[in-house]
Amino acid sequence: MTKNFLIYAAPLQGITGRIWRNAHSAVFPGIDAYITPFLRVEHGTIRKNGLKDITPELNSATIIPQILAASPGDTLQLALKCRELGYNEISLNLGCPHPPIALHHKGSGLLQYPNEIKLLFERLCDVEGLKFSIKMRLGYVSADEWRHVIPLFDIINPSFVTVHPRVGRQLYSGDLHMKEFELLLTQTSHKIIYNGDIRSLDDVNRLRERYPRISGVMAGRGLVANPALFCPTLSTRDNLRRFHSLLYNELVSSMEGGEHQILAHLKELWHYFLPSTDRKALKAIKKCNSLQKYNEAVNTALG
Ligand SMILES: Cc1cc2nc3c(=O)[nH]c(=O)nc-3n(C[C@H](O)[C@H](O)[C@H](O)COP(=O)(O)O)c2cc1C
């Protein structure tokens, strides 16, 4: 990878929290920044777990906190909190596809309402000492919604725009709208980062060849599946074991919840982690009901 090509880790709510990020950056260096799962306001207050996740003293990796784009008031509250914690760059989520969020004009749901985005950006661009990047889909219902949104980016002058070329209604699967993505590249001069279905360095190289205009890539599920995605020479059993034990130990020592909560978190990770693991070993991990059984199953899985 050349230095002027940026590599970002995408956020996966419930998986790439600070414990995953700290362990990942310790064992598999080379990520320019980790975007955190989004912070949001619920009933007027910022969710505590989200705040803990971005607490600077608890984070050893370079992170960009993400906030959910919602009403100007809620979004501003989140942005100011991040600034108070010492961050000068924030990722604005215009991509979350989940209906309870999107149908309330938040995340990707906001892409259908350029007027609301304009009001939001006008409110945010006044905040001193904060830069914004944007993480978006092409639309919520239709893959051409971005066309009305992208001219508004000049209001906020984002440091970069990450585009996942699906619409919100598709959730996380289905065809990528690469023609629209290609058109988008010609319609803006902002820095564009590609995100979606990156599983290997070959995928990255193909994207760079086909779209020399992109400034970098962001990987989510592919990076959780293969933490050594961007540094294949470090892809050894020892490193995977080290990564897992860092993650496991930090989880056990910092999780307020009991054994079941820790197990639920670890099983969520294994939903994506090392998919080519022996099926029997994976099944044993998914079935276990104690940390002792979990450790036995993981010892088998990681050899
Ligand atoms: C379980 C899960 C949680 C996610 N949470 C977030 C989130 O908090 N913020 C965000 O911008 N995207 C979130 N995403 C979307 C990913 O960051 C990414 O854009 C998407 O998975 C496509 O990229 P990938 O194919 O590299 O995974 C989430 C995706 C999944 C599967």
Side-chain angles (χ1 to χ4, degrees):
M1 288 302 143
T2 55
K3 275 202 180 136
N4 58 7
F5 192 76
L6 296 159
I7 304 287
Y8 293 106
L12 265 68
Q13 196 81 243
I15 295 169
T16 65
R18 69 186 192 286
I19 293 176
W20 181 90
R21 299 188 301 263
N22 291 346
H24 186 267
S25 59
V27 182
F28 302 106
I31 302 289
D32 289 291
Y34 295 76
I35 316 299
T36 72
F38 63 77
L39 283 177
R40 67 173 153 140
V41 170
E42 235 177 34
H43 310 301
T45 48
I46 303 175
R47 291 182 94 194
K48 279 208 179 108
N49 276 353
L51 280 179
K52 186 169 181 192
D53 188 53
I54 64 164
T55 299
E57 303 77 53
L58 299 177
N59 278 279
S60 51
T62 303
I63 64 167
I64 301 179
Q66 186 183 71
I67 63 179
L68 184 67
S71 68
D74 283 0
T75 317
L76 189 66
Q77 186 184 350
L78 292 163
L80 293 176
K81 188 67 197 178
C82 292
R83 190 180 67 176
E84 190 187 311
L85 289 171
Y87 295 100
N88 60 13
E89 176 158 6
I90 289 175
S91 163
L92 207 49
N93 180 316
L94 278 166
C96 181
H98 295 294
I101 285 177
L103 294 175
H104 286 94
H105 297 210
K106 298 173 185 174
S108 69
L110 209 48
L111 294 167
Q112 290 183 299
Y113 304 98
N115 287 341
E116 292 182 28
I117 296 180
K118 184 166 179 276
L119 288 176
L120 174 62
F121 285 178
E122 283 170 351
R123 190 83 175 267
L124 293 179
C125 73
D126 286 340
V127 183
E128 269 178 41
L130 270 185
K131 289 185 289 181
F132 293 93
S133 62
I134 290 167
K135 185 165 179 289
M136 67 182 290
R137 290 179 179 241
L138 293 173
Y140 181 61
V141 175
S142 159
D144 60 8
E145 288 164 24
W146 64 270
R147 296 180 196 187
H148 301 287
V149 172
I150 219 150
L152 304 172
F153 288 173
D154 291 340
I155 303 174
I156 210 167
N157 194 20
S159 39
F160 62 92
V161 180
T162 304
V163 180
H164 176 54
R166 287 195 173 95
V167 296
R169 283 253 179 103
Q170 289 176 283
L171 299 177
Y172 297 106
S173 58
D175 290 343
L176 295 161
H177 301 275
M178 296 312 283
K179 285 246 159 67
E180 286 293 322
F181 177 72
E182 219 164 314
L183 186 62
L184 181 149
L185 289 176
T186 66
Q187 301 295 303
T188 175
S189 56
H190 294 298
K191 220 184 232 181
I192 301 292
I193 304 294
Y194 173 88
N195 165 243
D197 297 6
I198 293 173
R199 303 270 160 200
S200 67
L201 274 190
D202 280 349
D203 289 345
V204 177
N205 291 333
R206 269 193 295 272
L207 282 161
R208 291 185 74 176
E209 239 168 70
R210 184 151 171 222
Y211 310 109
R213 154 89 177 79
I214 61 172
S215 303
V217 291
M218 186 182 285
R221 291 165 295 180
L223 185 63
V224 175
N226 171 15
L229 176 66
F230 295 114
C231 44
T233 55
L234 296 179
S235 178
T236 62
R237 282 277 134 190
D238 274 355
N239 280 336
L240 286 172
R241 272 198 293 263
R242 206 176 126 226
F243 165 70
H244 180 271
S245 61
L246 280 176
L247 190 148
Y248 177 89
N249 291 335
E250 203 178 330
L251 196 60
V252 169
S253 66
S254 70
M255 200 97 164
E256 285 103 23
E259 191 165 3
H260 285 292
Q261 201 177 334
I262 297 169
L263 278 173
H265 188 93
L266 289 163
K267 287 179 189 181
E268 187 72 20
L269 170 78
W270 280 94
H271 188 64
Y272 298 97
F273 187 41
L274 303 178
S276 56
T277 305
D278 172 68
R279 282 184 66 192
K280 239 172 122 184
L282 268 184
K283 218 169 158 192
I285 290 172
K286 283 173 189 164
K287 262 180 44 190
C288 68
N289 53 12
S290 69
L291 287 176
Q292 193 194 331
K293 288 226 168 73
Y294 174 82
N295 282 315
E296 287 164 13
V298 166
N299 278 341
T300 311
L302 293 181

Short mmCIF file of all heavy atoms in Angstrom, two decimals, residues 7-44:
data_model
loop_
_atom_site.label_atom_id
_atom_site.label_comp_id
_atom_site.label_asym_id
_atom_site.label_seq_id
_atom_site.Cartn_x
_atom_site.Cartn_y
_atom_site.Cartn_z
N ILE A 7 -6.40 3.65 4.40
CA ILE A 7 -7.06 2.41 4.81
C ILE A 7 -7.80 2.68 6.11
O ILE A 7 -7.19 3.03 7.12
CB ILE A 7 -6.02 1.29 5.08
CG1 ILE A 7 -5.12 1.04 3.87
CG2 ILE A 7 -6.69 0.02 5.57
CD1 ILE A 7 -5.80 0.34 2.74
N TYR A 8 -9.10 2.48 6.08
CA TYR A 8 -9.92 2.70 7.27
C TYR A 8 -10.61 1.40 7.68
O TYR A 8 -10.95 0.57 6.83
CB TYR A 8 -11.00 3.75 7.01
CG TYR A 8 -10.45 5.14 6.79
CD1 TYR A 8 -10.43 5.69 5.51
CD2 TYR A 8 -9.97 5.90 7.84
CE1 TYR A 8 -9.93 6.97 5.30
CE2 TYR A 8 -9.47 7.18 7.64
CZ TYR A 8 -9.45 7.70 6.37
OH TYR A 8 -8.95 8.97 6.16
N ALA A 9 -10.83 1.29 8.98
CA ALA A 9 -11.65 0.18 9.48
C ALA A 9 -13.07 0.70 9.67
O ALA A 9 -13.28 1.72 10.33
CB ALA A 9 -11.09 -0.34 10.80
N ALA A 10 -14.03 0.00 9.07
CA ALA A 10 -15.43 0.42 9.16
C ALA A 10 -16.01 0.03 10.53
O ALA A 10 -15.56 -0.95 11.14
CB ALA A 10 -16.25 -0.24 8.05
N PRO A 11 -16.99 0.77 10.98
CA PRO A 11 -17.62 0.40 12.26
C PRO A 11 -18.64 -0.71 12.10
O PRO A 11 -19.38 -0.74 11.12
CB PRO A 11 -18.34 1.71 12.65
CG PRO A 11 -18.60 2.42 11.36
CD PRO A 11 -17.55 2.00 10.38
N LEU A 12 -18.64 -1.62 13.05
CA LEU A 12 -19.71 -2.62 13.13
C LEU A 12 -20.23 -2.57 14.57
O LEU A 12 -19.54 -3.03 15.50
CB LEU A 12 -19.18 -4.04 12.83
CG LEU A 12 -19.33 -4.55 11.38
CD1 LEU A 12 -18.46 -3.77 10.43
CD2 LEU A 12 -18.99 -6.02 11.31
N GLN A 13 -21.38 -1.97 14.73
CA GLN A 13 -22.00 -1.83 16.05
C GLN A 13 -22.04 -3.20 16.74
O GLN A 13 -22.41 -4.19 16.12
CB GLN A 13 -23.43 -1.31 15.84
CG GLN A 13 -24.10 -0.74 17.06
CD GLN A 13 -23.70 0.70 17.35
OE1 GLN A 13 -23.11 0.92 18.39
NE2 GLN A 13 -23.98 1.63 16.46
N GLY A 14 -21.56 -3.27 17.97
CA GLY A 14 -21.60 -4.54 18.71
C GLY A 14 -20.37 -5.40 18.50
O GLY A 14 -20.20 -6.42 19.16
N ILE A 15 -19.50 -5.01 17.55
CA ILE A 15 -18.31 -5.84 17.29
C ILE A 15 -17.02 -5.03 17.35
O ILE A 15 -16.09 -5.37 18.09
CB ILE A 15 -18.44 -6.55 15.92
CG1 ILE A 15 -19.61 -7.52 16.01
CG2 ILE A 15 -17.15 -7.30 15.57
CD1 ILE A 15 -20.02 -8.10 14.71
N THR A 16 -16.96 -3.94 16.60
CA THR A 16 -15.70 -3.20 16.54
C THR A 16 -15.64 -2.08 17.58
O THR A 16 -15.22 -0.95 17.29
CB THR A 16 -15.44 -2.62 15.13
OG1 THR A 16 -16.45 -1.63 14.86
CG2 THR A 16 -15.47 -3.68 14.06
N GLY A 17 -16.07 -2.39 18.78
CA GLY A 17 -15.94 -1.46 19.90
C GLY A 17 -14.47 -1.32 20.28
O GLY A 17 -13.58 -1.92 19.65
N ARG A 18 -14.20 -0.57 21.34
CA ARG A 18 -12.81 -0.23 21.67
C ARG A 18 -11.98 -1.48 21.95
O ARG A 18 -10.78 -1.51 21.67
CB ARG A 18 -12.76 0.75 22.84
CG ARG A 18 -13.20 0.15 24.15
CD ARG A 18 -13.29 1.17 25.26
NE ARG A 18 -13.44 0.49 26.53
CZ ARG A 18 -14.55 -0.10 26.94
NH1 ARG A 18 -15.63 -0.10 26.17
NH2 ARG A 18 -14.60 -0.71 28.11
N ILE A 19 -12.60 -2.51 22.49
CA ILE A 19 -11.82 -3.70 22.84
C ILE A 19 -11.32 -4.39 21.57
O ILE A 19 -10.15 -4.78 21.48
CB ILE A 19 -12.67 -4.63 23.75
CG1 ILE A 19 -12.89 -3.89 25.08
CG2 ILE A 19 -12.04 -5.99 23.92
CD1 ILE A 19 -13.79 -4.60 26.05
N TRP A 20 -12.18 -4.50 20.59
CA TRP A 20 -11.76 -5.08 19.30
C TRP A 20 -10.69 -4.18 18.66
O TRP A 20 -9.66 -4.66 18.19
CB TRP A 20 -12.98 -5.24 18.37
CG TRP A 20 -12.62 -5.86 17.04
CD1 TRP A 20 -12.61 -7.18 16.73
CD2 TRP A 20 -12.18 -5.17 15.85
NE1 TRP A 20 -12.20 -7.37 15.43
CE2 TRP A 20 -11.94 -6.15 14.87
CE3 TRP A 20 -11.98 -3.83 15.52
CZ2 TRP A 20 -11.50 -5.84 13.58
CZ3 TRP A 20 -11.54 -3.51 14.24
CH2 TRP A 20 -11.30 -4.52 13.28
N ARG A 21 -10.95 -2.88 18.66
CA ARG A 21 -10.01 -1.94 18.00
C ARG A 21 -8.64 -1.96 18.68
O ARG A 21 -7.61 -1.97 18.00
CB ARG A 21 -10.57 -0.51 18.02
CG ARG A 21 -11.89 -0.34 17.28
CD ARG A 21 -12.28 1.12 17.17
NE ARG A 21 -12.42 1.81 18.43
CZ ARG A 21 -13.57 2.04 19.08
NH1 ARG A 21 -14.71 1.59 18.57
NH2 ARG A 21 -13.60 2.70 20.22
N ASN A 22 -8.63 -1.96 20.03
CA ASN A 22 -7.35 -1.96 20.75
C ASN A 22 -6.56 -3.23 20.42
O ASN A 22 -5.35 -3.17 20.15
CB ASN A 22 -7.58 -1.89 22.26
CG ASN A 22 -8.13 -0.53 22.70
OD1 ASN A 22 -8.10 0.44 21.94
ND2 ASN A 22 -8.64 -0.45 23.92
N ALA A 23 -7.25 -4.37 20.44
CA ALA A 23 -6.56 -5.64 20.15
C ALA A 23 -6.10 -5.67 18.69
O ALA A 23 -4.97 -6.06 18.38
CB ALA A 23 -7.50 -6.82 20.44
N HIS A 24 -6.96 -5.20 17.81
CA HIS A 24 -6.61 -5.25 16.38
C HIS A 24 -5.40 -4.39 16.07
O HIS A 24 -4.45 -4.84 15.41
CB HIS A 24 -7.80 -4.83 15.51
CG HIS A 24 -7.53 -5.00 14.05
ND1 HIS A 24 -7.04 -3.99 13.27
CD2 HIS A 24 -7.61 -6.10 13.26
CE1 HIS A 24 -6.84 -4.45 12.05
NE2 HIS A 24 -7.18 -5.74 12.01
N SER A 25 -5.40 -3.16 16.58
CA SER A 25 -4.29 -2.26 16.24
C SER A 25 -2.98 -2.72 16.88
O SER A 25 -1.91 -2.45 16.35
CB SER A 25 -4.62 -0.82 16.66
OG SER A 25 -4.85 -0.77 18.04
N ALA A 26 -3.08 -3.44 18.00
CA ALA A 26 -1.85 -3.93 18.65
C ALA A 26 -1.20 -5.04 17.84
O ALA A 26 0.02 -5.16 17.80
CB ALA A 26 -2.17 -4.42 20.06
N VAL A 27 -2.01 -5.85 17.18
CA VAL A 27 -1.44 -7.04 16.51
C VAL A 27 -1.33 -6.85 14.99
O VAL A 27 -0.41 -7.36 14.36
CB VAL A 27 -2.30 -8.30 16.84
CG1 VAL A 27 -1.70 -9.55 16.20
CG2 VAL A 27 -2.42 -8.48 18.35
N PHE A 28 -2.27 -6.11 14.43
CA PHE A 28 -2.29 -5.94 12.96
C PHE A 28 -2.26 -4.45 12.61
O PHE A 28 -3.29 -3.85 12.28
CB PHE A 28 -3.56 -6.61 12.39
CG PHE A 28 -3.67 -8.07 12.73
CD1 PHE A 28 -4.59 -8.52 13.67
CD2 PHE A 28 -2.86 -9.00 12.10
CE1 PHE A 28 -4.69 -9.87 13.98
CE2 PHE A 28 -2.95 -10.36 12.41
CZ PHE A 28 -3.86 -10.79 13.35
N PRO A 29 -1.07 -3.83 12.69
CA PRO A 29 -0.99 -2.39 12.45
C PRO A 29 -1.24 -2.03 10.98
O PRO A 29 -1.29 -2.91 10.13
CB PRO A 29 0.46 -2.05 12.85
CG PRO A 29 1.20 -3.33 12.75
CD PRO A 29 0.23 -4.45 12.97
N GLY A 30 -1.38 -0.75 10.72
CA GLY A 30 -1.49 -0.30 9.32
C GLY A 30 -2.82 0.35 8.97
O GLY A 30 -3.00 0.79 7.85
N ILE A 31 -3.73 0.40 9.92
CA ILE A 31 -5.02 1.06 9.66
C ILE A 31 -4.85 2.56 9.96
O ILE A 31 -4.38 2.92 11.04
CB ILE A 31 -6.13 0.46 10.57
CG1 ILE A 31 -6.28 -1.05 10.37
CG2 ILE A 31 -7.46 1.20 10.37
CD1 ILE A 31 -6.87 -1.49 9.06
N ASP A 32 -5.22 3.41 9.02
CA ASP A 32 -5.05 4.86 9.24
C ASP A 32 -5.97 5.36 10.35
O ASP A 32 -5.58 6.20 11.14
CB ASP A 32 -5.30 5.63 7.94
CG ASP A 32 -4.15 5.40 6.97
OD1 ASP A 32 -3.05 5.88 7.25
OD2 ASP A 32 -4.35 4.68 5.96
N ALA A 33 -7.20 4.87 10.38
CA ALA A 33 -8.10 5.22 11.50
C ALA A 33 -9.24 4.22 11.55
O ALA A 33 -9.65 3.66 10.51
CB ALA A 33 -8.64 6.63 11.35
N TYR A 34 -9.71 4.01 12.76
CA TYR A 34 -10.88 3.15 12.99
C TYR A 34 -12.08 4.06 13.21
O TYR A 34 -12.03 4.93 14.10
CB TYR A 34 -10.68 2.29 14.25
CG TYR A 34 -9.56 1.29 14.15
CD1 TYR A 34 -8.22 1.70 14.25
CD2 TYR A 34 -9.82 -0.06 13.95
CE1 TYR A 34 -7.19 0.78 14.17
CE2 TYR A 34 -8.78 -0.99 13.87
CZ TYR A 34 -7.48 -0.56 13.97
OH TYR A 34 -6.45 -1.47 13.88
N ILE A 35 -13.13 3.89 12.41
CA ILE A 35 -14.35 4.66 12.64
C ILE A 35 -15.14 3.91 13.72
O ILE A 35 -15.32 2.69 13.61
CB ILE A 35 -15.21 4.78 11.35
CG1 ILE A 35 -14.34 5.11 10.13
CG2 ILE A 35 -16.34 5.78 11.54
CD1 ILE A 35 -13.59 6.39 10.19
N THR A 36 -15.59 4.60 14.73
CA THR A 36 -16.29 3.91 15.81
C THR A 36 -17.75 3.66 15.42
O THR A 36 -18.31 4.40 14.60
CB THR A 36 -16.29 4.74 17.12
OG1 THR A 36 -17.18 5.85 16.97
CG2 THR A 36 -14.90 5.23 17.46
N PRO A 37 -18.38 2.65 16.02
CA PRO A 37 -19.84 2.53 15.84
C PRO A 37 -20.50 3.83 16.30
O PRO A 37 -19.95 4.54 17.15
CB PRO A 37 -20.19 1.36 16.78
CG PRO A 37 -18.92 0.56 16.88
CD PRO A 37 -17.81 1.57 16.83
N PHE A 38 -21.66 4.14 15.72
CA PHE A 38 -22.19 5.49 15.96
C PHE A 38 -22.72 5.72 17.37
O PHE A 38 -23.22 4.81 18.02
CB PHE A 38 -23.26 5.85 14.93
CG PHE A 38 -24.50 4.98 14.95
CD1 PHE A 38 -25.47 5.15 15.92
CD2 PHE A 38 -24.70 4.02 13.97
CE1 PHE A 38 -26.62 4.37 15.93
CE2 PHE A 38 -25.84 3.23 13.96
CZ PHE A 38 -26.79 3.40 14.96
N LEU A 39 -22.53 6.98 17.78
CA LEU A 39 -23.14 7.47 19.03
C LEU A 39 -24.49 8.02 18.67
O LEU A 39 -24.65 8.60 17.60
CB LEU A 39 -22.34 8.66 19.54
CG LEU A 39 -21.01 8.51 20.23
CD1 LEU A 39 -20.47 9.90 20.54
CD2 LEU A 39 -21.20 7.76 21.53
N ARG A 40 -25.43 7.89 19.57
CA ARG A 40 -26.72 8.52 19.29
C ARG A 40 -27.40 9.00 20.55
O ARG A 40 -27.04 8.61 21.67
CB ARG A 40 -27.63 7.57 18.53
CG ARG A 40 -28.05 6.36 19.31
CD ARG A 40 -29.07 5.61 18.48
NE ARG A 40 -29.07 4.21 18.82
CZ ARG A 40 -30.18 3.51 18.92
NH1 ARG A 40 -31.34 4.07 18.70
NH2 ARG A 40 -30.13 2.23 19.22
N VAL A 41 -28.37 9.87 20.32
CA VAL A 41 -29.14 10.42 21.44
C VAL A 41 -30.41 9.60 21.57
O VAL A 41 -31.06 9.29 20.58
CB VAL A 41 -29.49 11.90 21.14
CG1 VAL A 41 -30.49 12.45 22.16
CG2 VAL A 41 -28.24 12.76 21.12
N GLU A 42 -30.71 9.23 22.81
CA GLU A 42 -31.96 8.50 23.06
C GLU A 42 -32.70 9.22 24.17
O GLU A 42 -32.12 9.43 25.26
CB GLU A 42 -31.61 7.08 23.52
CG GLU A 42 -32.28 6.02 22.68
CD GLU A 42 -31.83 4.64 23.15
OE1 GLU A 42 -31.61 4.46 24.37
OE2 GLU A 42 -31.70 3.76 22.30
N HIS A 43 -33.92 9.60 23.91
CA HIS A 43 -34.72 10.36 24.88
C HIS A 43 -33.93 11.55 25.44
O HIS A 43 -33.88 11.76 26.65
CB HIS A 43 -35.18 9.46 26.03
CG HIS A 43 -35.81 8.19 25.57
ND1 HIS A 43 -36.92 8.17 24.76
CD2 HIS A 43 -35.47 6.88 25.78
CE1 HIS A 43 -37.25 6.91 24.49
NE2 HIS A 43 -36.38 6.11 25.09
N GLY A 44 -33.26 12.26 24.56
CA GLY A 44 -32.60 13.51 24.97
C GLY A 44 -31.19 13.34 25.53
O GLY A 44 -30.48 14.33 25.71
#
